[in-house]
Amino acid sequence: MDSVVNKYVRKWLEIPISETLSNVYLTSNKFGLNIYPPSIKFVQCQTVARNALKTSPNHSIKDLWKTTSESKNIQYDVYTSTKEVLKTFTSGQEDKLQNHLILQGSFFSNVIKFSLSKLNGIWSKSQSNLPKNIYNFTIRYINNSLPTRKNLTKWGILSNSDCSFCLNPETLLHVVAGCQTYLPRFTWRHDSVLNFIAQTLQPVNNSNLFVDLPGYKSPSIVTGDTFRPDLLLSINSDCLYILELFVGYESNLQTNVDRKRRRYEDLITQQKKQF
């Protein structure tokens, strides 16, 4: 019943399926519309009925409440009034809305934190020149409104959010960086980005390029087999750039940066003696 009502609420308010209804369910003093799904009205009715049994002066009716308090009705016994039902529901919607905003905020704060100011203009220009379908994908990615199974379940289109490959919940994080079945695909993505960077750096004058990809000189020629970063660029034999690429989820950026930095501390110290 809730899914049917939600469908008409979206149609009435012209809310796209990718947008949450949590703000609609908020109270008017919190910029909501005081709309509640049928399931909440049902819980209120059950709460009234259960409280009537519990507080009845008739001992037989009270015994009926005790007898049924261990069945599925127990979920309604936690409420003392219909107002408490609404309060619990609206509180849950507020938490959902806050979590959505926190996730979006995490993305933007990490982008701002780890991006160079002089590159922001380049990124903005590059994004605006993307093909329409890719541009739309990036916007929907930022807002977590891509049709993952988790979102499709949330939107009432699917009844199961499990990944069809590994049976874990198919969230956005799972799709872009978490599914173990897709590890070869993640490797392909990493290597594709690395190859693009390598091709861009190849024309640099008076330089030697070492890339951990087929077709390039291996970084192990310089660093040995113990440490093998993704890319080394030696310029005029007196300057060495070490690049370690990772394509991770935005909320894990700092963790990955710290991990990579610790991993190559000894290598950097060693190479500083030569360059």
Coordinates of all heavy atoms in Angstrom, one line a residue, residues 176-217:
V176 N 31.0 0.7 -7.4 CA 32.2 1.4 -8.0 C 33.5 0.9 -7.4 O 34.6 1.0 -8.0 CB 32.2 2.9 -7.8 CG1 30.9 3.5 -8.5 CG2 32.1 3.3 -6.3
A177 N 33.5 0.2 -6.2 CA 34.7 -0.2 -5.6 C 34.7 -1.3 -4.6 O 35.6 -1.6 -3.9 CB 35.3 1.0 -4.8
G178 N 33.5 -2.0 -4.6 CA 33.4 -3.0 -3.5 C 33.1 -4.5 -3.9 O 33.4 -5.4 -3.2
C179 N 32.6 -4.7 -5.1 CA 32.2 -6.0 -5.5 C 33.4 -6.9 -5.8 O 34.1 -6.6 -6.8 CB 31.2 -6.0 -6.7 SG 30.6 -7.6 -7.1
Q180 N 33.6 -8.0 -5.1 CA 34.8 -8.8 -5.3 C 34.7 -9.5 -6.7 O 35.7 -9.8 -7.2 CB 34.8 -9.9 -4.2 CG 35.1 -9.3 -2.8 CD 36.4 -8.5 -2.7 OE1 37.4 -9.1 -3.1 NE2 36.3 -7.3 -2.2
T181 N 33.5 -9.8 -7.2 CA 33.4 -10.4 -8.5 C 33.9 -9.5 -9.6 O 34.4 -10.0 -10.6 CB 31.9 -10.8 -8.7 OG1 31.4 -11.5 -7.6 CG2 31.7 -11.6 -10.0
Y182 N 33.9 -8.2 -9.4 CA 34.3 -7.3 -10.4 C 35.7 -6.7 -10.2 O 36.1 -5.7 -10.8 CB 33.3 -6.1 -10.4 CG 32.2 -6.2 -11.5 CD1 31.1 -6.9 -11.2 CD2 32.4 -5.6 -12.7 CE1 30.1 -7.1 -12.2 CE2 31.4 -5.7 -13.7 CZ 30.3 -6.5 -13.4 OH 29.3 -6.6 -14.4
L183 N 36.5 -7.4 -9.4 CA 37.9 -7.0 -9.2 C 38.6 -6.8 -10.5 O 39.4 -5.8 -10.7 CB 38.6 -7.9 -8.3 CG 38.2 -7.8 -6.8 CD1 39.0 -8.9 -6.0 CD2 38.5 -6.4 -6.3
P184 N 38.5 -7.7 -11.5 CA 39.2 -7.5 -12.8 C 38.8 -6.2 -13.5 O 39.6 -5.6 -14.1 CB 38.8 -8.8 -13.6 CG 38.5 -9.8 -12.6 CD 37.8 -9.1 -11.4
R185 N 37.5 -5.9 -13.3 CA 37.0 -4.6 -13.9 C 37.6 -3.4 -13.2 O 37.9 -2.4 -13.9 CB 35.5 -4.6 -13.8 CG 34.8 -3.4 -14.6 CD 35.0 -3.6 -16.1 NE 34.3 -2.5 -16.8 CZ 34.3 -2.4 -18.1 NH1 35.0 -3.2 -18.8 NH2 33.7 -1.4 -18.7
F186 N 37.8 -3.5 -11.9 CA 38.4 -2.4 -11.2 C 39.8 -2.2 -11.6 O 40.3 -1.1 -11.7 CB 38.3 -2.6 -9.7 CG 36.9 -2.7 -9.2 CD1 36.6 -3.5 -8.1 CD2 35.8 -2.1 -9.8 CE1 35.3 -3.6 -7.6 CE2 34.5 -2.1 -9.3 CZ 34.3 -2.9 -8.2
T187 N 40.5 -3.4 -11.8 CA 41.9 -3.3 -12.3 C 42.0 -2.7 -13.7 O 42.9 -1.9 -14.0 CB 42.5 -4.8 -12.3 OG1 42.4 -5.3 -11.0 CG2 43.9 -4.7 -12.8
W188 N 41.1 -3.1 -14.5 CA 41.0 -2.5 -15.9 C 40.8 -1.0 -15.8 O 41.5 -0.2 -16.5 CB 39.9 -3.1 -16.7 CG 39.6 -2.4 -18.0 CD1 40.2 -2.6 -19.2 CD2 38.6 -1.3 -18.2 NE1 39.7 -1.7 -20.1 CE2 38.7 -0.9 -19.5 CE3 37.7 -0.7 -17.4 CZ2 37.9 0.1 -20.1 CZ3 36.9 0.3 -17.9 CH2 37.0 0.7 -19.2
R189 N 40.0 -0.5 -14.9 CA 39.7 0.9 -14.8 C 41.0 1.6 -14.3 O 41.4 2.7 -14.8 CB 38.6 1.2 -13.8 CG 38.3 2.6 -13.5 CD 37.1 2.7 -12.5 NE 37.5 2.1 -11.2 CZ 36.7 2.0 -10.2 NH1 35.4 2.3 -10.3 NH2 37.1 1.4 -9.0
H190 N 41.7 1.1 -13.3 CA 42.9 1.6 -12.8 C 44.0 1.7 -13.9 O 44.6 2.7 -14.1 CB 43.4 0.7 -11.6 CG 44.8 1.0 -11.2 ND1 45.9 0.6 -11.8 CD2 45.2 1.8 -10.1 CE1 47.0 1.0 -11.2 NE2 46.6 1.8 -10.2
D191 N 44.1 0.6 -14.6 CA 45.1 0.6 -15.7 C 44.8 1.5 -16.8 O 45.7 2.1 -17.5 CB 45.3 -0.9 -16.2 CG 45.9 -1.8 -15.2 OD1 46.4 -1.3 -14.2 OD2 45.9 -3.0 -15.4
S192 N 43.5 1.7 -17.1 CA 43.1 2.6 -18.2 C 43.5 4.1 -17.8 O 44.0 4.8 -18.6 CB 41.6 2.5 -18.4 OG 41.3 1.2 -18.9
V193 N 43.3 4.4 -16.6 CA 43.6 5.8 -16.1 C 45.1 5.9 -16.1 O 45.7 7.0 -16.6 CB 43.1 6.0 -14.7 CG1 43.5 7.4 -14.2 CG2 41.5 6.0 -14.7
L194 N 45.8 4.9 -15.6 CA 47.3 5.0 -15.6 C 47.9 5.1 -17.0 O 48.8 5.9 -17.3 CB 47.8 3.7 -14.9 CG 49.4 3.6 -14.8 CD1 49.9 4.8 -14.0 CD2 49.8 2.3 -14.1
N195 N 47.3 4.4 -17.9 CA 47.8 4.4 -19.3 C 47.6 5.8 -19.9 O 48.4 6.3 -20.7 CB 47.1 3.4 -20.2 CG 47.6 3.2 -21.6 OD1 48.8 3.0 -21.8 ND2 46.8 3.4 -22.6
F196 N 46.4 6.4 -19.6 CA 46.2 7.8 -20.1 C 47.2 8.8 -19.6 O 47.7 9.6 -20.3 CB 44.8 8.2 -19.7 CG 44.4 9.6 -20.0 CD1 44.0 10.0 -21.3 CD2 44.5 10.6 -19.0 CE1 43.7 11.3 -21.6 CE2 44.3 11.9 -19.3 CZ 43.9 12.3 -20.6
I197 N 47.5 8.6 -18.3 CA 48.5 9.5 -17.7 C 49.9 9.3 -18.3 O 50.6 10.2 -18.6 CB 48.6 9.3 -16.2 CG1 47.3 9.7 -15.5 CG2 49.8 10.1 -15.5 CD1 47.2 9.3 -14.0
A198 N 50.2 8.0 -18.6 CA 51.5 7.7 -19.2 C 51.6 8.3 -20.6 O 52.7 8.8 -20.9 CB 51.7 6.2 -19.2
Q199 N 50.6 8.1 -21.3 CA 50.6 8.7 -22.7 C 50.7 10.2 -22.7 O 51.4 10.8 -23.6 CB 49.3 8.2 -23.5 CG 49.3 6.8 -23.8 CD 48.0 6.4 -24.5 OE1 47.1 7.2 -24.6 NE2 48.0 5.1 -25.0
T200 N 50.1 10.8 -21.7 CA 50.2 12.3 -21.6 C 51.6 12.7 -21.2 O 52.1 13.8 -21.7 CB 49.2 12.8 -20.5 OG1 47.9 12.3 -20.8 CG2 49.2 14.3 -20.4
L201 N 52.3 11.9 -20.5 CA 53.7 12.3 -20.0 C 54.8 11.9 -21.0 O 55.9 12.3 -20.8 CB 54.0 11.7 -18.6 CG 53.1 12.2 -17.5 CD1 53.4 11.4 -16.2 CD2 53.3 13.6 -17.2
Q202 N 54.5 11.0 -21.9 CA 55.5 10.5 -22.8 C 56.3 11.6 -23.6 O 57.5 11.5 -23.8 CB 54.9 9.5 -23.8 CG 55.0 8.1 -23.3 CD 54.5 7.1 -24.3 OE1 53.7 7.3 -25.1 NE2 55.2 5.9 -24.3
P203 N 55.6 12.7 -24.0 CA 56.3 13.7 -24.8 C 57.2 14.6 -24.0 O 57.8 15.5 -24.5 CB 55.1 14.5 -25.4 CG 53.9 13.7 -25.3 CD 54.1 12.9 -24.0
V204 N 57.2 14.5 -22.6 CA 58.1 15.4 -21.8 C 59.5 15.3 -22.2 O 60.1 14.2 -22.3 CB 57.9 15.0 -20.3 CG1 58.8 15.9 -19.5 CG2 56.4 15.2 -19.9
N205 N 60.1 16.4 -22.5 CA 61.5 16.4 -23.0 C 62.5 16.0 -21.9 O 62.3 16.2 -20.7 CB 61.9 17.8 -23.4 CG 61.1 18.2 -24.7 OD1 60.8 17.4 -25.5 ND2 60.8 19.5 -24.8
N206 N 63.6 15.3 -22.3 CA 64.7 14.9 -21.4 C 64.2 14.1 -20.3 O 64.6 14.3 -19.1 CB 65.5 16.2 -20.9 CG 66.0 17.0 -22.1 OD1 66.6 16.4 -23.0 ND2 65.9 18.3 -22.0
S207 N 63.3 13.2 -20.5 CA 62.8 12.4 -19.4 C 62.8 10.9 -19.8 O 62.9 10.5 -20.9 CB 61.3 12.8 -19.2 OG 60.5 12.5 -20.3
N208 N 62.8 10.1 -18.7 CA 62.6 8.7 -18.8 C 61.3 8.3 -18.1 O 61.1 8.7 -16.9 CB 63.8 8.0 -18.2 CG 65.0 7.9 -19.1 OD1 64.8 7.6 -20.3 ND2 66.2 8.2 -18.6
L209 N 60.5 7.5 -18.7 CA 59.2 7.2 -18.2 C 59.2 5.7 -17.9 O 59.6 4.8 -18.7 CB 58.1 7.5 -19.1 CG 56.7 7.2 -18.7 CD1 56.3 8.1 -17.5 CD2 55.7 7.5 -19.8
F210 N 58.8 5.3 -16.7 CA 58.7 3.9 -16.2 C 57.3 3.7 -15.7 O 56.8 4.4 -14.8 CB 59.7 3.6 -15.1 CG 61.1 3.9 -15.5 CD1 61.6 5.2 -15.2 CD2 61.9 3.0 -16.0 CE1 62.9 5.5 -15.5 CE2 63.3 3.3 -16.3 CZ 63.8 4.5 -16.1
V211 N 56.6 2.8 -16.3 CA 55.2 2.5 -16.0 C 54.9 1.0 -15.7 O 55.4 0.2 -16.5 CB 54.2 3.0 -17.1 CG1 52.8 3.0 -16.6 CG2 54.6 4.4 -17.5
D212 N 54.2 0.7 -14.7 CA 53.9 -0.7 -14.4 C 52.7 -1.2 -15.2 O 51.7 -1.6 -14.8 CB 53.5 -0.8 -12.9 CG 53.5 -2.2 -12.4 OD1 54.0 -3.1 -13.1 OD2 52.8 -2.5 -11.4
L213 N 53.0 -1.1 -16.6 CA 52.0 -1.6 -17.5 C 52.8 -2.3 -18.7 O 53.9 -1.9 -19.0 CB 51.1 -0.5 -18.1 CG 50.1 0.2 -17.2 CD1 49.4 1.3 -17.9 CD2 49.0 -0.9 -16.8
P214 N 52.2 -3.2 -19.4 CA 52.8 -3.8 -20.6 C 53.1 -2.7 -21.6 O 52.3 -1.8 -21.8 CB 51.8 -4.8 -21.1 CG 51.0 -5.2 -19.9 CD 50.9 -3.9 -19.1
G215 N 54.3 -2.8 -22.2 CA 54.6 -1.8 -23.3 C 55.5 -0.7 -22.8 O 55.9 0.1 -23.6
Y216 N 55.7 -0.6 -21.5 CA 56.5 0.4 -20.9 C 57.7 -0.2 -20.1 O 57.6 -1.3 -19.7 CB 55.7 1.3 -19.9 CG 54.6 2.1 -20.6 CD1 53.3 1.6 -20.6 CD2 54.8 3.4 -21.1 CE1 52.3 2.3 -21.2 CE2 53.8 4.1 -21.7 CZ 52.5 3.6 -21.7 OH 51.5 4.3 -22.3
K217 N 58.7 0.6 -19.9 CA 59.8 0.2 -19.0 C 59.3 0.1 -17.6 O 58.6 0.9 -17.1 CB 61.0 1.2 -19.1 CG 61.7 1.1 -20.4 CD 62.9 2.1 -20.5 CE 62.4 3.5 -20.5 NZ 63.6 4.5 -20.6

